[in-house]
Amino acid sequence: MSESDDRWAITDTLVRYARCIDLFDFEGVSSVFSDEAVIEYGGYPVFHGGAEAAAFLQKHTATTAWHQHMVSVVDLRLDGDVANTVTYFIAHAVPKDDAEQVRTNVGEYRDRLQRTPDGWKIVERRQQTGWKETRRRTS
């Protein structure tokens, strides 16, 4: 693969994570991580492997009716079969019990990815939240 191909594949992995959460596709969430991945969602226990992270997210979003994650890869450093990235995110969620409310979470993911026989996988993720807020519909 060329460097350009690798960059697209890495970006696809990061975007697929966000899209899978939006679709409540937790198998898809699990698939972007290696089995040995170390995942830190600030303030929560450390998770090991995609299955643990996906199970946490599935439980954490059980009361969510709708999601939208917007991600932007702002820094991608490629070194052979390893990549380090910083991805900004804005996540919106509407709870099942209050369609007039939206929760917003803004921050960044700092990831290390590795090329595997199954494609690029996240092997380390550290989420840093910049701010969270809850708003009610005004119109």
Side-chain angles (χ1 to χ4, degrees), residues 29-104:
V29 169
S30 180
S31 75
V32 303
F33 293 102
S34 72
D35 292 339
E36 306 81 28
V38 176
I39 304 125
E40 294 181 27
Y41 297 115
Y44 293 97
V46 174
F47 301 101
H48 300 278
E52 277 189 20
F56 163 75
L57 291 169
Q58 185 170 16
K59 183 178 178 181
H60 192 70
T61 62
T63 60
T64 302
W66 177 84
H67 283 187
Q68 183 184 58
H69 286 74
M70 296 177 285
V71 294
S72 175
V73 180
V74 296
D75 191 17
L76 193 163
R77 309 283 172 136
L78 185 60
D79 186 12
D81 292 339
V82 176
N84 290 288
T85 63
V86 176
T87 304
Y88 292 163
F89 70 85
I90 301 171
H92 297 95
V94 174
K96 289 179 180 177
D97 63 354
D98 187 353
E100 299 298 311
Q101 176 179 297
V102 63
R103 299 176 188 143
T104 303

